[in-house]
Amino acid sequence: MPHDQPAAAPGPAPADASDHDPAEAPFLGLLATGAAAEEYERPVLRARAGGAAAARLAALERAKLLALRVRTELEDRRRREAELSALYATAHDLAGLRDLDAVLRAIVRRARSLLGTEVAYLTLNDPAAGDTYMRVTDGSVSARFQQLRLAMGEGLGGLVAQTARPYVTDSYFHDERFRHTRTIDSGVRDEGLVAILGVPLLLGSGVIGVLFAADRRERVFEPGQVALLAAHAAHAAVAIDTANLLAETRKTLTELEAANEIIRDRSSVIERASDVHDRLTELVLRGGGVQDVADAVAEVLDGDVEFTEPGRAPAAALDRSRADGHAVRDGADWVAAVRAGGEVLGALVLRGHPALDPVDQRTLERAAMVTSLLLLARRTAGEAEQRVRGELLDDLLDAAARDPRLLRERAARVGADLDAPHVVLAARMSGAPISDGDGPPRPDGTDRRRLWSAASHLAATRHGLAAVRDGGAVLLLPLQPDGDPAHTAREIAARLGTALHVPVTVGASAPVPAPAARPAAVADAYAEARRCREALCALGRAGQGAAAADFGFLGLLLADTRDVDGFVHRTLGAVADYDARRGTELLRTLGAYFACGMSPARTKDELHVHVNTVAQRLERVSRLLGPDWQTPARALEIQLALRLHQLSAAVTRETEE
């Protein structure tokens, strides 16, 4: 029999020629070309393969992380600009309108569009009559409803006008929080309204009217939607105020032509206020951020303007500004609360400017309103994208008969490609309870909400999808042609664990070639990923990530594909390849060795060879399979793989015969 020769030791790897280049150099090129996130791993991998020094590798890792952060920020800015364009179309429309009726119609039309309701309407207060009356409607069909008048405190609208606070009802006629009257209830019933949201139109601390969004069916208005309509109402109130001021100015110009000096002063004030308003609106439409607004106001007011978080702003001044609705003086500074509905988001602080005329004060207040819109829209855009990704993944999991074309179109809107190979991952925080239902996490499910948020962020950065399901999270992520589901599972487990500061267990499925073409395969893959996740927990490996291939012969039970050939190759491939190359009989020797109770003496009789030959062959097997191949667990896998290999060979021979 041929004797085995030891393999030659590999020589030292050549040094990477780029060791002396700046670590940032390869990543700057990737940023310039807009490369995918996966490409940022290549410079590190090439350096590692080229034997780069540890310091070089560490520098590359730092540069890679910095470049990825820059890339994420750029993508977030582009996505935010696209998401905010619909919301700030309102500001664009209002900025170009000077007629009060046109302004009111635009406000109501935009309110209905922003919240997607069937009806929207606006009431204005009548100081002379002491009540509030219907002014503009959009989507209404009832003449009685369009002519309603409400006394202060009557109905939902009267309560909003009286208290200057938003109110929402899921079912108007079953809500006893406000006073029902026959006239109001008849009008609401005639219109068929059920769910109603009303927010005040505030100018300073006074209410000038109420803006409503309503549906003819029961509907839960989320807190974010309430805050969004409140922010829109705040901007609308400013537009109404501007339109009223312009109307008053035109009337003054007509009646007081002789008082040219007074008229010029008044016009200058209004033009300045309108110019500031238009300038802030244009800045927002260009996709500017909070700091851009602060810089613009600082230039207009010739001072230092800073946005501060609620905890860092002067507490007393912030409370006074929030309660009064105006910018307030705080020593040599001015503070304007940035708020959305009843929530305080921060403050704009003008430093070292103790004296402000009314126009400059209003400028600071308007800047605070625009800042609240930016912050609220950023939050709303992020939550909306998370919901869209979750709903699409839910449809893939629950509705196998979905039209592939529609799935592709929906995926394209969030930057996902469902015709590329993907992997399904099932994640759960260690110790997290299993939910009875699907969908977004409930308000009291703090851990699930944190997991959902972290998983959604990962999915967004990788052009994938994420949803909450079965007490955990499920992710559908793109898989590169040379990608490994097991490696992906370990990486996602590590990243989620780092983000949440608790262990997260992740199971991965086999690759799903094209989810859009075969939606049913996604549900099967999710079931496989869950089995892998639960197997990790059962084996005491919570907080890790794995795919079926990581479980040896147990993977045959966990995987949907029952990849017997893959299991045999992973277990005995090195020995089989060696036999094929060298013409040896290591596999036959292994089979005889286990059949003879792992006794070399009986094995040499079975094979009719010298006992030294058996020893040499087993030594070679140890080199190929590792020194632990005779431990009980490994030996069991090897014997099972040998038996499956023998059965496969027998079936092949019968087929050929």
Side-chain angles (χ1 to χ4, degrees):
M1 301 302 294
H3 292 285
D4 303 327
Q5 299 297 325
D16 192 338
S18 62
D19 279 352
H20 303 292
D21 294 338
E24 296 83 358
F27 301 106
L28 291 176
L30 294 173
L31 285 171
T33 58
E38 294 79 5
E39 295 295 326
Y40 290 74
E41 293 290 344
R42 297 188 182 278
V44 180
L45 294 176
R46 284 197 297 267
R48 185 176 289 116
R56 173 66 177 176
L57 293 175
L60 285 172
E61 282 289 347
R62 289 192 298 271
K64 178 193 73 174
L65 294 176
L66 180 60
L68 286 172
R69 285 198 297 270
V70 172
R71 179 181 181 276
T72 300
E73 179 63 22
L74 292 174
E75 288 185 347
D76 287 344
R77 283 179 176 272
R78 287 192 292 268
R79 184 169 60 254
R80 184 169 64 249
E81 180 179 1
E83 295 288 344
L84 295 180
S85 61
L87 179 61
Y88 293 123
T90 303
H92 182 272
D93 288 348
L94 297 181
L97 298 175
R98 295 295 181 263
D99 178 70
L100 179 59
D101 288 337
V103 169
L104 295 176
R105 287 194 298 271
I107 291 169
V108 173
R109 186 170 58 251
R110 283 295 183 180
R112 182 183 177 192
S113 173
L114 285 174
L115 268 68
T117 56
E118 297 172 279
V119 181
Y121 51 101
L122 182 147
T123 63
L124 291 179
N125 290 359
D126 187 343
D131 63 0
T132 181
Y133 64 98
M134 191 73 69
R135 182 66 169 81
V136 181
T137 66
D138 188 54
S140 171
V141 296
S142 168
R144 180 189 301 180
F145 179 77
Q146 295 166 12
Q147 298 171 6
L148 281 178
R149 296 188 74 96
L150 298 81
M152 292 297 180
E154 290 183 353
L156 184 144
L159 188 60
V160 174
Q162 184 181 53
T163 63
R165 294 176 55 192
Y167 276 85
V168 60
T169 178
D170 302 336
S171 180
Y172 176 87
F173 292 101
H174 296 91
D175 199 329
E176 300 299 328
R177 291 178 301 162
F178 42 84
R179 181 152 54 95
H180 291 264
T181 68
R182 178 179 299 176
T183 301
I184 298 172
D185 285 359
S186 297
V188 173
R189 186 177 290 107
D190 203 28
E191 187 62 46
L193 301 182
V194 177
I196 304 175
L197 165 62
V199 297
L201 293 166
L202 294 169
L203 276 180
S205 58
V207 179
I208 64 171
V210 181
L211 180 61
F212 298 86
D215 268 340
R216 297 185 176 93
R217 53 184 174 79
E218 289 193 3
R219 167 180 175 174
V220 176
F221 288 98
E222 301 293 342
Q225 295 174 315
V226 177
L228 179 60
L229 189 62
H232 174 52
H235 203 121
V238 173
I240 292 172
D241 184 41
T242 300
N244 285 329
L245 287 175
L246 289 172
E248 292 170 8
T249 301
R250 286 192 293 267
K251 180 179 179 180
T252 301
L253 288 171
T254 302
E255 296 176 352
L256 304 175
E257 291 180 355
N260 291 328
E261 188 65 28
I262 298 176
I263 292 174
R264 278 196 297 270
D265 291 342
R266 181 65 174 168
S267 296
S268 174
V269 168
I270 293 175
E271 280 185 22
R272 183 177 176 188
S274 179
D275 178 66
V276 171
H277 180 267
D278 291 344
R279 180 172 180 176
L280 292 176
T281 300
E282 182 183 0
L283 185 151
V284 170
L285 291 174
R286 290 202 313 265
V290 172
Q291 187 58 47
D292 297 320
V293 173
D295 292 342
V297 176
E299 182 180 347
V300 171
L301 300 182
D302 191 22
D304 180 18
V305 178
E306 177 188 7
F307 171 76
T308 62
E309 301 291 339
R312 299 177 57 193
L318 183 60
D319 289 341
R320 283 189 290 121
S321 177
R322 177 188 58 79
D324 187 54
H326 291 292
V328 298
R329 185 171 172 177
D330 182 49
D333 302 335
W334 284 81
V335 177
V338 176
R339 57 180 184 157
E343 181 183 2
V344 177
L345 306 176
L348 283 183
V349 180
L350 173 63
R351 303 193 185 281
H353 216 305
L356 276 184
D357 62 36
V359 176
D360 289 341
Q361 183 177 344
R362 179 64 64 86
T363 296
L364 187 61
E365 293 165 1
R366 289 184 176 182
M369 292 181 185
V370 172
T371 302
S372 71
L373 281 174
L374 283 172
L375 295 174
L376 186 61
R378 182 188 305 169
R379 178 196 300 174
T380 303
E383 292 176 351
E385 181 178 347
Q386 288 182 351
R387 285 194 298 271
V388 169
R389 292 178 182 274
E391 290 168 359
L392 177 54
L393 183 50
D394 282 335
D395 284 348
L396 285 169
L397 291 169
D398 296 332
R402 290 278 181 178
D403 184 351
R405 179 181 59 82
L406 295 178
L407 291 174
R408 293 185 180 96
E409 290 178 358
R410 292 170 61 189
R413 295 190 192 107
V414 294
D417 179 10
L418 294 185
D419 288 317
H422 282 66
V423 61
V424 177
L425 302 120
R428 195 173 74 203
M429 299 167 66
S430 293
I434 296 178
S435 171
D436 293 329
D438 303 331
R442 299 187 301 273
D444 58 346
T446 304
D447 288 342
R448 289 190 295 275
R449 180 175 295 278
R450 292 173 58 221
L451 178 59
W452 176 53
S453 177
S456 298
H457 175 72
L458 267 178
T461 59
R462 292 173 175 246
H463 304 289
L465 307 175
V468 170
R469 185 166 285 250
D470 303 318
V474 53
L475 298 93
L476 181 67
L477 300 182
L479 190 65
Q480 295 302 316
D482 56 349
D484 177 16
H487 174 76
T488 303
R490 289 189 289 271
E491 179 190 358
I492 296 303
R495 294 192 61 177
L496 290 177
T498 300
L500 300 174
H501 304 292
V502 295
V504 178
T505 308
V506 178
S509 71
V512 181
R518 293 183 58 245
V522 178
D524 294 338
Y526 173 56
E528 178 182 337
R530 283 189 64 193
R531 289 194 295 270
C532 292
R533 183 189 67 190
E534 299 309 317
L536 283 171
C537 295
L539 295 172
R541 294 170 57 187
Q544 300 181 22
D550 292 321
F551 293 96
F553 70 90
L554 289 178
L556 297 177
L557 305 177
L558 298 173
D560 283 329
T561 56
R562 304 293 190 268
D563 185 11
V564 174
D565 291 339
F567 168 70
V568 172
H569 181 74
R570 288 191 299 272
T571 307
L572 296 175
V575 177
D577 292 344
Y578 189 88
D579 277 350
R581 291 195 309 270
R582 301 294 183 91
T584 55
E585 294 185 338
L586 297 184
L587 279 179
R588 180 167 172 260
T589 301
L590 266 178
Y593 179 66
F594 284 116
C596 294
M598 302 176 70
S599 169
R602 289 200 294 272
T603 302
K604 61 97 175 175
D605 294 335
E606 176 70 20
L607 297 176
H608 306 291
V609 297
H610 195 275
V611 70
N612 289 341
T613 301
V614 174
Q616 290 174 357
R617 292 179 182 179
L618 294 180
E619 182 182 357
R620 174 56 61 184
V621 168
S622 294
R623 294 180 184 177
L624 294 172
L625 298 183
D628 64 338
W629 70 277
Q630 296 190 72
T631 60
R634 287 291 307 279
L636 177 59
E637 287 194 2
I638 293 170
Q639 291 179 73
L640 178 58
L642 283 168
R643 182 60 59 87
L644 292 173
H645 175 71
Q646 293 166 359
L647 291 174
S648 176
V651 170
T652 302
R653 286 194 300 271
E654 290 178 4
T655 303
E656 292 175 350
E657 293 174 358

PDB file of all heavy atoms in Angstrom, residues 571-589:
ATOM      1  N   THR A 571     -18.718  16.247   6.562  1.00  0.00           N
ATOM      2  CA  THR A 571     -18.166  15.354   7.581  1.00  0.00           C
ATOM      3  C   THR A 571     -16.973  14.560   7.070  1.00  0.00           C
ATOM      4  O   THR A 571     -15.954  14.415   7.764  1.00  0.00           O
ATOM      5  CB  THR A 571     -19.259  14.387   8.072  1.00  0.00           C
ATOM      6  OG1 THR A 571     -20.407  15.156   8.475  1.00  0.00           O
ATOM      7  CG2 THR A 571     -18.771  13.562   9.247  1.00  0.00           C
ATOM      8  N   LEU A 572     -17.071  14.022   5.838  1.00  0.00           N
ATOM      9  CA  LEU A 572     -16.041  13.106   5.330  1.00  0.00           C
ATOM     10  C   LEU A 572     -15.368  13.609   4.068  1.00  0.00           C
ATOM     11  O   LEU A 572     -14.552  12.885   3.476  1.00  0.00           O
ATOM     12  CB  LEU A 572     -16.679  11.730   5.028  1.00  0.00           C
ATOM     13  CG  LEU A 572     -17.253  10.970   6.233  1.00  0.00           C
ATOM     14  CD1 LEU A 572     -17.946   9.712   5.745  1.00  0.00           C
ATOM     15  CD2 LEU A 572     -16.162  10.615   7.227  1.00  0.00           C
ATOM     16  N   GLY A 573     -15.704  14.853   3.644  1.00  0.00           N
ATOM     17  CA  GLY A 573     -15.185  15.333   2.363  1.00  0.00           C
ATOM     18  C   GLY A 573     -13.671  15.321   2.281  1.00  0.00           C
ATOM     19  O   GLY A 573     -13.088  14.949   1.255  1.00  0.00           O
ATOM     20  N   ALA A 574     -13.003  15.704   3.371  1.00  0.00           N
ATOM     21  CA  ALA A 574     -11.538  15.756   3.339  1.00  0.00           C
ATOM     22  C   ALA A 574     -10.944  14.361   3.119  1.00  0.00           C
ATOM     23  O   ALA A 574      -9.973  14.182   2.364  1.00  0.00           O
ATOM     24  CB  ALA A 574     -11.016  16.355   4.645  1.00  0.00           C
ATOM     25  N   VAL A 575     -11.551  13.333   3.756  1.00  0.00           N
ATOM     26  CA  VAL A 575     -11.046  11.965   3.604  1.00  0.00           C
ATOM     27  C   VAL A 575     -11.352  11.440   2.206  1.00  0.00           C
ATOM     28  O   VAL A 575     -10.493  10.817   1.551  1.00  0.00           O
ATOM     29  CB  VAL A 575     -11.672  11.053   4.679  1.00  0.00           C
ATOM     30  CG1 VAL A 575     -11.207   9.607   4.490  1.00  0.00           C
ATOM     31  CG2 VAL A 575     -11.306  11.558   6.063  1.00  0.00           C
ATOM     32  N   ALA A 576     -12.583  11.683   1.716  1.00  0.00           N
ATOM     33  CA  ALA A 576     -12.956  11.203   0.387  1.00  0.00           C
ATOM     34  C   ALA A 576     -12.093  11.847  -0.692  1.00  0.00           C
ATOM     35  O   ALA A 576     -11.661  11.170  -1.637  1.00  0.00           O
ATOM     36  CB  ALA A 576     -14.434  11.487   0.131  1.00  0.00           C
ATOM     37  N   ASP A 577     -11.850  13.136  -0.558  1.00  0.00           N
ATOM     38  CA  ASP A 577     -11.004  13.821  -1.550  1.00  0.00           C
ATOM     39  C   ASP A 577      -9.581  13.260  -1.523  1.00  0.00           C
ATOM     40  O   ASP A 577      -8.935  13.111  -2.580  1.00  0.00           O
ATOM     41  CB  ASP A 577     -10.983  15.326  -1.261  1.00  0.00           C
ATOM     42  CG  ASP A 577     -12.334  15.979  -1.519  1.00  0.00           C
ATOM     43  OD1 ASP A 577     -13.174  15.347  -2.186  1.00  0.00           O
ATOM     44  OD2 ASP A 577     -12.539  17.118  -1.042  1.00  0.00           O
ATOM     45  N   TYR A 578      -9.093  12.955  -0.339  1.00  0.00           N
ATOM     46  CA  TYR A 578      -7.742  12.395  -0.231  1.00  0.00           C
ATOM     47  C   TYR A 578      -7.670  11.038  -0.927  1.00  0.00           C
ATOM     48  O   TYR A 578      -6.712  10.737  -1.654  1.00  0.00           O
ATOM     49  CB  TYR A 578      -7.354  12.271   1.244  1.00  0.00           C
ATOM     50  CG  TYR A 578      -5.892  11.913   1.464  1.00  0.00           C
ATOM     51  CD1 TYR A 578      -4.916  12.905   1.545  1.00  0.00           C
ATOM     52  CD2 TYR A 578      -5.487  10.583   1.571  1.00  0.00           C
ATOM     53  CE1 TYR A 578      -3.582  12.588   1.739  1.00  0.00           C
ATOM     54  CE2 TYR A 578      -4.165  10.247   1.755  1.00  0.00           C
ATOM     55  CZ  TYR A 578      -3.201  11.248   1.844  1.00  0.00           C
ATOM     56  OH  TYR A 578      -1.887  10.917   2.026  1.00  0.00           O
ATOM     57  N   ASP A 579      -8.679  10.188  -0.698  1.00  0.00           N
ATOM     58  CA  ASP A 579      -8.725   8.886  -1.372  1.00  0.00           C
ATOM     59  C   ASP A 579      -8.735   9.063  -2.883  1.00  0.00           C
ATOM     60  O   ASP A 579      -8.047   8.325  -3.616  1.00  0.00           O
ATOM     61  CB  ASP A 579      -9.982   8.118  -0.937  1.00  0.00           C
ATOM     62  CG  ASP A 579      -9.774   7.400   0.392  1.00  0.00           C
ATOM     63  OD1 ASP A 579      -8.619   7.339   0.856  1.00  0.00           O
ATOM     64  OD2 ASP A 579     -10.766   6.903   0.965  1.00  0.00           O
ATOM     65  N   ALA A 580      -9.520  10.034  -3.355  1.00  0.00           N
ATOM     66  CA  ALA A 580      -9.632  10.239  -4.801  1.00  0.00           C
ATOM     67  C   ALA A 580      -8.307  10.705  -5.393  1.00  0.00           C
ATOM     68  O   ALA A 580      -7.937  10.297  -6.502  1.00  0.00           O
ATOM     69  CB  ALA A 580     -10.737  11.253  -5.094  1.00  0.00           C
ATOM     70  N   ARG A 581      -7.583  11.558  -4.666  1.00  0.00           N
ATOM     71  CA  ARG A 581      -6.321  12.071  -5.199  1.00  0.00           C
ATOM     72  C   ARG A 581      -5.193  11.043  -5.116  1.00  0.00           C
ATOM     73  O   ARG A 581      -4.364  10.945  -6.029  1.00  0.00           O
ATOM     74  CB  ARG A 581      -5.905  13.329  -4.416  1.00  0.00           C
ATOM     75  CG  ARG A 581      -6.777  14.536  -4.641  1.00  0.00           C
ATOM     76  CD  ARG A 581      -6.093  15.806  -4.131  1.00  0.00           C
ATOM     77  NE  ARG A 581      -5.613  15.662  -2.766  1.00  0.00           N
ATOM     78  CZ  ARG A 581      -6.313  15.958  -1.686  1.00  0.00           C
ATOM     79  NH1 ARG A 581      -7.550  16.415  -1.832  1.00  0.00           N
ATOM     80  NH2 ARG A 581      -5.807  15.812  -0.481  1.00  0.00           N
ATOM     81  N   ARG A 582      -5.129  10.285  -4.006  1.00  0.00           N
ATOM     82  CA  ARG A 582      -3.982   9.417  -3.748  1.00  0.00           C
ATOM     83  C   ARG A 582      -4.257   7.936  -4.026  1.00  0.00           C
ATOM     84  O   ARG A 582      -3.336   7.123  -3.960  1.00  0.00           O
ATOM     85  CB  ARG A 582      -3.550   9.560  -2.284  1.00  0.00           C
ATOM     86  CG  ARG A 582      -3.171  10.979  -1.883  1.00  0.00           C
ATOM     87  CD  ARG A 582      -1.922  11.456  -2.607  1.00  0.00           C
ATOM     88  NE  ARG A 582      -1.528  12.786  -2.175  1.00  0.00           N
ATOM     89  CZ  ARG A 582      -0.688  13.018  -1.179  1.00  0.00           C
ATOM     90  NH1 ARG A 582      -0.180  12.009  -0.490  1.00  0.00           N
ATOM     91  NH2 ARG A 582      -0.364  14.257  -0.857  1.00  0.00           N
ATOM     92  N   GLY A 583      -5.501   7.615  -4.296  1.00  0.00           N
ATOM     93  CA  GLY A 583      -5.811   6.209  -4.515  1.00  0.00           C
ATOM     94  C   GLY A 583      -5.726   5.388  -3.237  1.00  0.00           C
ATOM     95  O   GLY A 583      -5.507   4.172  -3.291  1.00  0.00           O
ATOM     96  N   THR A 584      -5.906   6.007  -2.067  1.00  0.00           N
ATOM     97  CA  THR A 584      -5.841   5.293  -0.784  1.00  0.00           C
ATOM     98  C   THR A 584      -7.215   4.733  -0.427  1.00  0.00           C
ATOM     99  O   THR A 584      -8.198   4.919  -1.164  1.00  0.00           O
ATOM    100  CB  THR A 584      -5.353   6.241   0.320  1.00  0.00           C
ATOM    101  OG1 THR A 584      -6.208   7.394   0.336  1.00  0.00           O
ATOM    102  CG2 THR A 584      -3.933   6.694   0.055  1.00  0.00           C
ATOM    103  N   GLU A 585      -7.288   4.028   0.691  1.00  0.00           N
ATOM    104  CA  GLU A 585      -8.548   3.424   1.132  1.00  0.00           C
ATOM    105  C   GLU A 585      -8.870   3.860   2.563  1.00  0.00           C
ATOM    106  O   GLU A 585      -9.222   3.058   3.425  1.00  0.00           O
ATOM    107  CB  GLU A 585      -8.463   1.895   1.052  1.00  0.00           C
ATOM    108  CG  GLU A 585      -8.334   1.369  -0.378  1.00  0.00           C
ATOM    109  CD  GLU A 585      -8.379  -0.155  -0.443  1.00  0.00           C
ATOM    110  OE1 GLU A 585      -8.094  -0.786   0.605  1.00  0.00           O
ATOM    111  OE2 GLU A 585      -8.707  -0.690  -1.494  1.00  0.00           O
ATOM    112  N   LEU A 586      -8.798   5.159   2.809  1.00  0.00           N
ATOM    113  CA  LEU A 586      -9.052   5.654   4.156  1.00  0.00           C
ATOM    114  C   LEU A 586     -10.518   5.484   4.546  1.00  0.00           C
ATOM    115  O   LEU A 586     -10.827   5.144   5.690  1.00  0.00           O
ATOM    116  CB  LEU A 586      -8.650   7.128   4.259  1.00  0.00           C
ATOM    117  CG  LEU A 586      -7.157   7.451   4.030  1.00  0.00           C
ATOM    118  CD1 LEU A 586      -6.909   8.934   4.253  1.00  0.00           C
ATOM    119  CD2 LEU A 586      -6.278   6.609   4.948  1.00  0.00           C
ATOM    120  N   LEU A 587     -11.448   5.741   3.616  1.00  0.00           N
ATOM    121  CA  LEU A 587     -12.865   5.574   3.930  1.00  0.00           C
ATOM    122  C   LEU A 587     -13.180   4.123   4.270  1.00  0.00           C
ATOM    123  O   LEU A 587     -13.914   3.839   5.223  1.00  0.00           O
ATOM    124  CB  LEU A 587     -13.734   6.035   2.761  1.00  0.00           C
ATOM    125  CG  LEU A 587     -13.977   7.541   2.629  1.00  0.00           C
ATOM    126  CD1 LEU A 587     -14.841   7.837   1.415  1.00  0.00           C
ATOM    127  CD2 LEU A 587     -14.652   8.081   3.880  1.00  0.00           C
ATOM    128  N   ARG A 588     -12.630   3.184   3.480  1.00  0.00           N
ATOM    129  CA  ARG A 588     -12.863   1.754   3.753  1.00  0.00           C
ATOM    130  C   ARG A 588     -12.268   1.372   5.101  1.00  0.00           C
ATOM    131  O   ARG A 588     -12.867   0.616   5.875  1.00  0.00           O
ATOM    132  CB  ARG A 588     -12.237   0.917   2.629  1.00  0.00           C
ATOM    133  CG  ARG A 588     -12.409  -0.594   2.808  1.00  0.00           C
ATOM    134  CD  ARG A 588     -12.052  -1.318   1.529  1.00  0.00           C
ATOM    135  NE  ARG A 588     -12.039  -2.746   1.753  1.00  0.00           N
ATOM    136  CZ  ARG A 588     -10.945  -3.498   1.952  1.00  0.00           C
ATOM    137  NH1 ARG A 588      -9.752  -2.909   1.939  1.00  0.00           N
ATOM    138  NH2 ARG A 588     -11.023  -4.791   2.151  1.00  0.00           N
ATOM    139  N   THR A 589     -11.099   1.932   5.409  1.00  0.00           N
ATOM    140  CA  THR A 589     -10.465   1.654   6.701  1.00  0.00           C
ATOM    141  C   THR A 589     -11.318   2.194   7.847  1.00  0.00           C
ATOM    142  O   THR A 589     -11.495   1.527   8.872  1.00  0.00           O
ATOM    143  CB  THR A 589      -9.061   2.286   6.750  1.00  0.00           C
ATOM    144  OG1 THR A 589      -8.280   1.750   5.675  1.00  0.00           O
ATOM    145  CG2 THR A 589      -8.382   1.996   8.077  1.00  0.00           C
TER     146      THR A 589
END
